Amino acid sequence: MTDATTPGEDLAENQDITERGSNRSQRPDSDAFKTFIMSNWEDRKDLGVTRGEFADFTATRRAALSSRFPGARLVAPAGTLKVRSNDCDYRFRPHSAFAHLTGFGTDQEPDAVLVLHPVEAGTGDDGSDHHAVLYVRPLAPRDTDEFYADARYGEFWVGARPTLDDVTELTGIEARHVDELRDALAKDVGDGVRLLVVEGSDDGIEALVEAIRAESGAAEATAEVAADDELTAATSELRLVKDAYEIKQMRQAVDATIDGFAEVVRGLPKATAHRRGERVIETTFDAHARLEGNAVGYETIAAAGEHATTLHYVTNDGAVRSGEMVLLDAGVEVDSLYTADVTRTLPVDGEYTEIQRKIYKAVLDAADASFAVAKPGSKFRDLHAAAMEVLAARLEEWGILPVSAEESLSPEGQQHRRWMVHGTSHHLGIDVHDCAQARRELYLDGVLEPGMVFTIEPGLYFKADDLAVPEEYRGIGIRIEDDVLVTEDGCENLSGALPRVPEELEAWMASVRG
């Protein structure tokens, strides 16, 4: 690994830990070196940046946010890089609110900050009450130390950065140098302008906002701090209903994910032959996600056998055995950062056993019941209730439930939840659990609308040491998860091209294997 320290720095007692590599720097610092490295370069080539497909949509989103906060300056940071192993950075992913409001995806654009500046009502962008500015660190000239010596921003280290004009062309947002940020944030704060920041996005920017409030006296008014919560919730609630661009991205993510499941099925013989077969499955899918998208949208769950009864099993180092099943919960995140979230529980040999099929069909029936209520006018919580009614009834039929299904479904009962402790659905989009900061009345108690995208994912999990179930059930975990779009008159299963019915899934596996 290359040395990522800045030359000429002394190790000070109060030096930040991310800078403490300077005592091992071996880079030259002579005037002769500086003169030579800054000379004899071709003119930089135009990056060929064009306006992003997302730009019109993000403008509409910013206008919607503007309408909720007239007179306030709204700050949405991208976030910052995080150091790994004292030298390099983890791969960057911008904060979701920033990405949603700007259109930046992949690893763009660390340390950038979107600010919506208040203006006279109706005179802002697209007739809104705000003017948006992106504060970024642009490409540095080659006659500066940053060019060759700055491991965080320098072109020698991280490649050419976009210019301010590039950023404006791509996003449709005015771009300015991040060095101007502090003065821009402080303008008129405490004199009629509130300064609000999206929480959990960038500790440094949040501290700066607090400092500006304190200097202006605005920190004495707790309304600004409370409004940060409101702004954070608002940026999350903006994503509850997806626009046409977002739905297109979701379709791409789901399609790439289904292709990834096919790759896994082709690789099952290799998985069964390897002592860490689960990891063969994981790396097969993850490689596909990196090749066809940005990455995985979350850590892949490749849980074989009894491991499938652990809900968030991501160790993935166990064997994949004949006669068992493997629960694959995985999603491709495309370059725009929208992700799929799909689960199938696959028979390793290509065919379910009698008991596996019995449990699988119960879970499928529960999912179908949830699909039946996934339409405009239903409440989000109805999705879970419908699935639970089916599972409780099936557990009663099997003689497993210690009480009647009716009693178990009551708030005072809930015994059936022993075998399914998670919820049936969550919103999906730019985050695998999208809209997580939305208010309860708009999320769990919210009414379904066209454009909403969420999962339907019931399951049954019988642990190997569960004495409350017959022995033949033990060690079996099954989940079926699909990604669902609410339409004007019902819903569309975005992941429906991946078979769900056991016989159809078996036939699909056989066809994929050839």
Side-chain angles (χ1 to χ4, degrees):
M1 176 60 67
T2 53
D3 177 11
T5 59
T6 303
E9 292 183 347
D10 294 324
L11 184 62
E13 181 178 345
N14 63 348
Q15 191 175 9
D16 185 270
I17 192 169
T18 61
E19 300 173 348
R20 291 182 183 173
S22 58
N23 60 323
R24 57 182 172 80
S25 175
Q26 299 181 59
R27 275 185 274 154
D29 197 30
S30 66
D31 289 342
F33 165 75
K34 291 182 178 180
T35 299
F36 187 57
I37 198 170
M38 293 178 182
S39 63
N40 295 321
W41 297 101
E42 286 186 1
D43 292 339
R44 287 192 172 105
K45 293 181 174 61
D46 189 311
L47 296 179
V49 174
T50 58
R51 183 177 173 89
E53 180 186 356
F54 53 77
D56 290 340
F57 295 95
T58 53
T60 300
R61 299 168 199 166
R62 293 191 299 274
L65 188 65
S66 169
S67 68
R68 293 186 58 169
F69 298 91
R73 179 168 290 122
L74 312 179
V75 184
T80 188
L81 293 162
K82 292 180 173 59
V83 177
R84 175 177 180 173
S85 304
N86 296 317
D87 188 63
C88 56
D89 295 309
Y90 287 96
R91 183 177 290 122
F92 179 72
R93 184 190 192 278
H95 188 274
S96 295
F98 175 88
H100 186 247
L101 293 168
T102 65
F104 277 122
T106 58
D107 56 354
Q108 305 165 310
E109 183 58 44
D111 300 318
V113 181
L114 172 69
V115 181
L116 301 188
H117 292 290
V119 297
E120 185 178 345
T123 64
D125 303 336
D126 299 304
S128 72
D129 298 341
H130 289 81
H131 172 59
V133 178
L134 264 169
Y135 294 89
V136 299
R137 184 173 296 277
L139 183 67
R142 284 172 171 165
D143 59 356
T144 65
D145 287 356
E146 180 181 307
F147 165 57
Y148 69 88
D150 191 322
R152 193 180 189 95
Y153 303 112
E155 185 175 348
F156 247 81
W157 296 88
V158 298
R161 299 174 61 78
T163 65
L164 294 179
D165 287 343
D166 287 336
V167 172
T168 297
E169 178 64 27
L170 175 67
T171 65
I173 305 171
E174 179 187 356
R176 300 187 70 86
H177 200 293
V178 73
D179 289 350
E180 302 177 24
L181 177 65
R182 196 189 199 286
D183 290 343
L185 293 184
K187 184 180 179 182
D188 297 330
V189 173
D191 187 24
V193 172
R194 295 181 301 157
L195 182 61
L196 311 181
V197 62
V198 175
E199 296 174 312
S201 53
D202 185 325
D203 291 344
I205 298 300
E206 291 179 59
L208 174 60
V209 166
E210 291 177 4
I212 291 172
R213 287 171 177 165
E215 292 168 5
S216 67
E220 298 300 320
T222 58
E224 280 84 356
V225 177
D228 288 344
D229 292 338
E230 186 182 350
L231 173 61
T232 304
T235 60
S236 205
E237 290 162 5
L238 276 177
R239 307 199 299 269
L240 282 168
V241 176
K242 270 58 179 177
D243 57 39
Y245 174 80
E246 293 178 283
I247 293 171
K248 179 180 178 181
Q249 299 305 301
M250 292 300 305
R251 292 186 188 280
Q252 291 176 3
V254 170
D255 290 347
T257 297
I258 292 173
D259 290 342
F261 272 69
E263 291 295 322
V264 166
V265 169
R266 293 185 188 99
L268 279 176
K270 181 180 178 181
T272 57
H274 198 285
R275 60 185 177 83
R276 302 172 97 182
E278 291 173 338
R279 201 151 291 184
V280 172
I281 292 171
E282 174 193 346
T283 55
T284 298
F285 187 88
D286 289 10
H288 171 82
R290 188 65 176 151
L291 288 169
E292 301 302 326
N294 183 50
V296 290
Y298 53 95
E299 293 297 323
T300 297
I301 298 172
E306 200 269 337
H307 289 162
T309 67
T310 300
L311 300 182
H312 283 178
Y313 176 79
V314 294
T315 307
N316 299 339
D317 64 353
V320 175
R321 300 180 179 88
S322 176
E324 295 186 340
M325 296 179 293
V326 59
L327 188 156
L328 177 60
D329 185 336
V332 172
E333 175 189 85
V334 292
D335 288 350
S336 60
L337 304 183
Y338 288 83
T339 184
D341 181 7
V342 177
T343 306
R344 291 293 185 268
T345 309
L346 307 170
V348 173
D349 297 331
E351 293 185 5
Y352 295 100
T353 66
E354 182 179 351
I355 187 62
Q356 290 168 354
R357 191 181 303 271
K358 174 182 177 180
I359 298 170
Y360 186 102
K361 285 185 174 179
V363 175
L364 180 62
D365 289 346
D368 287 345
S370 191
F371 268 97
V373 298
K375 56 188 177 183
S378 297
K379 286 190 173 182
F380 186 78
R381 61 168 63 252
D382 294 342
L383 301 168
H384 179 71
M388 291 305 96
E389 288 184 7
V390 171
L391 291 183
R394 203 59 52 86
L395 290 164
E396 180 184 30
E397 291 173 13
W398 296 342
I400 294 174
L401 204 58
V403 297
S404 69
E406 182 180 6
E407 183 178 345
S408 185
L409 288 166
S410 70
E412 299 77 24
Q414 299 296 300
Q415 289 90 341
H416 62 285
R417 298 298 298 279
R418 172 185 178 117
W419 299 289
M420 186 185 156
V421 298
H422 62 80
T424 300
S425 298
H426 58 79
H427 279 271
L428 181 67
I430 209 165
D431 285 323
V432 67
H433 279 246
D434 208 19
C435 317
Q437 281 75 45
R439 289 167 291 173
R440 183 184 183 91
E441 59 265 30
L442 295 180
Y443 194 126
L444 187 59
D445 295 325
V447 176
L448 300 187
E449 300 178 41
M452 286 185 169
V453 178
F454 46 75
T455 65
I456 290 179
E457 52 174 313
L460 283 173
Y461 312 92
F462 302 110
K463 290 191 172 293
D465 55 356
D466 187 351
L467 299 180
V469 300
E471 186 174 358
E472 63 178 345
Y473 290 74
R474 297 174 196 168
I476 293 177
I478 293 176
R479 180 164 63 251
I480 305 169
E481 180 179 20
D482 286 288
D483 301 342
V484 182
L485 168 67
V486 180
T487 61
E488 293 294 335
D489 57 358
C491 69
E492 176 187 350
N493 184 356
L494 297 177
S495 48
L498 185 60
R500 304 164 65 247
V501 176
E503 294 75 18
E504 295 175 359
L505 189 57
E506 290 169 335
W508 173 78
M509 290 182 67
S511 67
V512 168
R513 284 174 162 174

